[in-house]
Each structure stands twice: as structure tokens, then as C-alpha cells.
């Protein structure tokens, strides 16, 4: 859809004489938020960029797609019309579901983080918010959860909404009777406005979203992805370190089965000059699909077996537990992997002063309790940030920006 000229307020500034060259230009007196347009659920917003152009300015100072021509002593500039996402208040959210980290680019991430900061103010200052009054969220958790389920339920209630919940849908729902996931989703969507689901099978969230006519949020699908965890992780890194470009991150522990580290790797690839270190036992190394993706995005990565060396270089040490539930009957492999990499006071000694230790929790013994008292232990602050991110996502999916 072409941008209408009525969207723009223009003022003709006349003809200027500058070093015997006449220059004609228009100044577009408008701001980005004044002329955003949307189409369907995604933005096809158009905008014009303009700087005052003088004869001694080189064309290289502008975008490669800017075109210039001189006719009858006038220097004219053709401005490129481009797409921008619309994050203005009142507009619809760009996503209909939250299923995987690849859905988010850095502009959308930044906008979501702004909403999360607003949610933090609401949580601290306005406990009686009614933003989601009249909305009902259903949580379908086929695997155990403490932080994710409770933070979603807290987020919904803090915004004035209501909750329908199942703590162990695998055992205490009709799934135990053989009901298909699709039939469950079709039923539950009739009772609610949004579904938050955790499932033991990778890809289950995509199946649910394809079935449902209401938003679906993936709260973890087996060894697949956990996008809301990755969002709160990146949000935490930005708050703790102060930047996302140019950081070094160590992903430690069960990288083969850990959905959190997979989702986080996808999001870190949105930023510039990031380096990721993979530190894990051989039996649970990061899978090739993530490595290939990072390589395709020109993100530097390195595998290492030396946690102490890596920790001394990194801004973030992201520890994860070895997940026994993913090993099935191969307890021997679990025991082989468990306890190999532990973050303790010795690791803290080599870490930089500004660096932080993160963990998606729960932990077993992979971070010793004496680390908790160090200000660089960020994992409980990280868990708290999950509330703000999930408040933001519920608000955006149900009522928009």
C-alpha cells in the first residue's frame, strides 16, 4: 500500500542561493508516531526520512537508496519509502502467538522491554491495575513448573485478569484418557481468551497455535524452546550489564536438552559483536542446528571444556542444570554429565567485577549456595524479571501496544 501524501505535513522553504547553486527542498514536519499505518495484524507502516540538504553535502552521507538529480539549477532528492513496525499506543501487537525466539527482531525486543519497564512500575506502584479486567487466561502445564506458571498467573492477576489453571495436565486432564492435544486446545479456547502451555513434546506449541483461534504462549515444549524465558534472560542481561551488543556469554551445563539456552542463543544472535561460549559435558553438547544458525548470523561461538578460563572472559555465565528427565533410562549418562561444571566461589574469583551469574532455575548443585550472597548472583533478580516480561506479553497479546 503506497503512503498517502495526506499523511505528511510539508512546508516549501523556497529557493536558496548557495555558492551559485539553487537548492529546492521540502521539510517534512512530522514525527514517526504521527503517521504510522497498519494493515491486518502486521504493520506496513510507511515513513519518509529527511535531512536538510546543502550543496556541499555528499550523497554518501545518506542511505545507499537515496537518489539525487540536478535539473535547471535545482538539486532534488528522492527519498526512499520504507517499512517500520508500529509500536504506537493503541495499535495491535505484531504477533498473534509467542512460540519461538525467531519471531523477535531487536526492534520488537526493545519495544517489549519498554512495556516491561512500564509493567514494573505498575507492579510496584499500582497493584490494582485493571488493564486486563474481563480477560481470562488458561494455563495448560503438562510438565512441572514453579516460576513459569506462577509468574504467568501472577502477571495476569496483577493486571486485573482471571486465571484457569491445570498444574499437571498430563496426569490430571483428559490427556490421561487419550485426548489429543488439538481437541484439548479446541475445548479450552472456548473457556478463555489466551492459553499458556507447557508440554513435554518439542513442537507441541506450534500444533496448539495452529489449532487455536486465540493467542497461545509457549511456556516450554520439551527440549524445544522456551521463548518467554529467553525474553526475560535478555531483559535481565541488559539491566545487569547495561548493553547487549558486544557482550560475551557462557552457556554452561545441559546444552543438548536445555530449551532455555536454545531460545537464548536465537535472541543473542540479534545483537552485534556477541560471542557465545558453549561449556558442557560431551554427552550434552549444543546441537548443530544452533551452531549452524549462529554461524549463518555471523555470531562467533566457541566450545570449551575449561569453565574457569571462559568465566574470566565473559560478561554473563549462564548456568543450567543437567536434566535427568531427558535421559530416560540412561541414568549412566546422566551421572556422567552431572557435577562436571559447578559455579562456586572459585569461579567467582576469576569473574570480572561487572559480570553476572544467571540460571533459569531450578538448580540442584550446579551453583553452590555460597554464591547467592555475591552481588553478581543475578538469578533471583532474573526470576523476578520474568513477572514483568510476562505481564508485558499478556498485555500486548490481549489489548495491544
Amino acid at each position: 500500500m503506497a503512503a498517502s501524501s495526506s499523511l505528511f505535513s510539508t512546508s516549501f522553504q523556497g529557493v536558496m542561493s548557495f555558492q551559485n547553486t539553487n537548492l529546492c527542498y521540502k521539510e517534512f514536519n512530522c514525527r514517526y508516531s504521527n503517521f504510522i499505518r497498519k494493515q491486518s495484524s502486521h504493520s506496513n507502516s510507511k515513513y519518509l526520512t529527511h535531512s536538510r540538504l546543502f550543496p556541499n553535502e555528499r550523497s554518501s552521507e545518506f542511505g545507499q537508496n537515496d537518489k539525487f538529480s540536478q535539473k535547471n539549477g535545482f538539486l532534488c532528492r528522492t527519498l526512499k519509502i520504507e517499512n517500520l513496525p508500529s509500536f504506537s499506543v493503541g495499535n495491535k501487537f505484531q504477533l498473534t502467538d509467542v512460540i519461538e525466539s525467531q519471531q523477535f527482531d531487536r526492534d520488537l525486543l526493545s519495544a517489549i522491554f519498554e512495556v516491561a519497564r512500564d509493567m514494573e512500575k505498575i507492579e510496584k506502584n499500582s497493584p490494582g491495575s485493571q488493564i486486563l479486567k474481563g480477560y481470562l487466561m488458561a494455563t495448560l502445564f503438562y510438565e512441572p513448573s514453579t516460576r513459569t506458571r506462577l509468574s504467568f498467573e501472577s502477571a495476569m492477576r496483577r493486571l486485573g485478569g482471571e486465571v484457569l489453571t491445570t498444574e499437571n495436565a498430563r496426569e490430571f486432564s483428559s490427556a490421561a484418557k487419550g485426548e489429543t492435544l488439538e481437541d484439548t486446545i479446541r475445548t479450552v479456547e472456548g473457556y478463555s481468551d489466551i492459553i499458556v502451555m507447557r508440554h513435554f513434546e518439542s513442537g507441541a506449541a506450534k500444533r496448539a497455535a495452529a489449532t487455536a483461534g486465540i493467542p497461545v504462549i509457549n511456556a516450554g515444549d520439551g527440549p524445544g524452546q522456551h521463548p518467554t524465558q529467553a525474553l526475560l534472560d535478555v531483559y535481565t542481561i541488559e539491566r545487569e550489564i547495561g548493553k547487549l551488543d558486544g557482550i560475551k556469554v557462557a552457556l554452561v551445563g545441559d546444552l543438548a536438552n536445555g530449551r532455555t539456552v536454545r531460545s537464548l542463543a536465537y535472541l543473542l544472535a540479534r545483537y552485534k559483536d556477541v560471542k557465545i561460549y558453549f561449556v558442557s559435558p560431551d554427552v550434552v553438547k549444543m546441537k548443530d542446528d544452533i551452531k549452524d544458525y549462529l554461524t549463518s548470523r555471523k555470531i562467533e561461538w566457541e566450545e570449551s571444556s575449561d569453565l574457569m578460563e571462559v568465566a574470566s572472559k565473559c560478561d554473563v555465565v549462564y548456568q543450567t542444570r543437567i536434566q535427568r528427565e531427558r535421559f530416560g533410562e540412561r541414568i549412566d549418562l546422566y551421572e556422567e554429565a552431572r557435577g562436571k561444571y559447578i559455579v562456586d566461589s572459585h569461579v567467582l574469583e576469576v569473574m570480572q567485577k561487572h559480570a553476572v551469574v544467571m540460571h533459569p532455575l531450578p538448580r540442584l548443585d550446579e551453583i553452590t549456595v555460597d554464591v547467592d550472597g555475591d552481588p553478581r548472583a543475578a538469578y533471583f533478580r532474573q526470576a523476578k524479571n520474568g513477572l514483568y516480561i510476562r505481564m508485558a506479553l499478556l498485555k500486548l497479546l490481549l489489548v495491544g501496544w
Side-chain angles (χ1 to χ4, degrees), residues 355-399:
V356 293
V357 178
M358 295 174 60
H359 194 303
L361 302 178
R363 69 171 165 184
L364 299 179
D365 55 2
E366 63 275 0
I367 299 179
T368 58
V369 293
D370 58 329
V371 173
D372 296 354
D374 193 289
R376 292 169 293 180
Y379 29 90
F380 293 116
R381 297 192 295 272
Q382 175 186 356
K384 178 69 173 183
N385 288 337
L387 173 64
Y388 309 134
I389 286 292
R390 286 160 180 147
M391 288 173 71
L393 289 175
L394 290 173
K395 186 261 185 186
L396 291 169
L397 285 165
L398 289 171
V399 300

Side-chain angles (χ1 to χ4, degrees), residues 21-24 53-55 68-71 73-77:
T21 302
N22 291 324
L23 172 66
C24 169
L53 178 65
F54 293 95
F68 299 88
S69 63
Q70 187 162 355
K71 186 175 182 181
F74 290 89
L75 183 62
C76 301
R77 179 184 179 200

Side-chain angles (χ1 to χ4, degrees), residues 234-361:
V234 174
Y235 182 66
T236 300
I237 293 171
E238 184 180 53
R239 290 179 61 121
E240 297 284 337
I241 305 300
K243 63 178 182 177
L244 290 166
D245 292 319
I247 62 173
K248 295 180 180 179
V249 179
L251 302 181
V252 186
D254 190 345
L255 307 186
N257 301 304
R259 57 195 172 207
T260 61
V261 289
R262 291 175 58 83
S263 291
L264 179 56
Y266 281 121
L267 290 192
L268 290 174
R270 300 301 186 193
Y271 298 93
K272 299 176 181 177
D273 301 320
V274 170
K275 182 168 183 178
I276 301 177
Y277 293 89
F278 300 128
V279 183
S280 67
D282 289 340
V283 70
V284 285
K285 283 188 172 183
M286 180 60 79
K287 294 179 180 177
D288 288 341
D289 63 327
I290 296 295
K291 298 175 187 175
D292 293 343
Y293 179 82
L294 294 175
T295 300
S296 72
R297 300 281 301 187
K298 296 181 172 55
I299 298 297
E300 187 178 358
W301 59 268
E302 178 182 328
E303 290 185 315
S304 175
S305 59
D306 191 337
L307 176 58
M308 297 290 280
E309 180 185 4
V310 169
S312 69
K313 300 175 182 178
C314 286
D315 303 286
V316 178
V317 175
Y318 190 98
Q319 175 71 293
T320 65
R321 70 183 174 91
I322 304 298
Q323 301 182 48
R324 180 172 181 173
E325 64 270 25
R326 307 296 179 202
F327 284 83
E329 297 181 356
R330 294 301 307 272
I331 303 303
D332 57 323
L333 295 179
Y334 168 73
E335 293 297 338
E336 177 186 335
R338 181 185 175 191
K340 187 167 185 179
Y341 295 107
I342 295 177
V343 174
D344 55 17
S345 59
H346 299 296
V347 174
L348 289 178
E349 287 174 3
V350 302
M351 287 177 59
Q352 300 174 73
K353 296 299 183 184
H354 75 277
V356 293
V357 178
M358 295 174 60
H359 194 303
L361 302 178

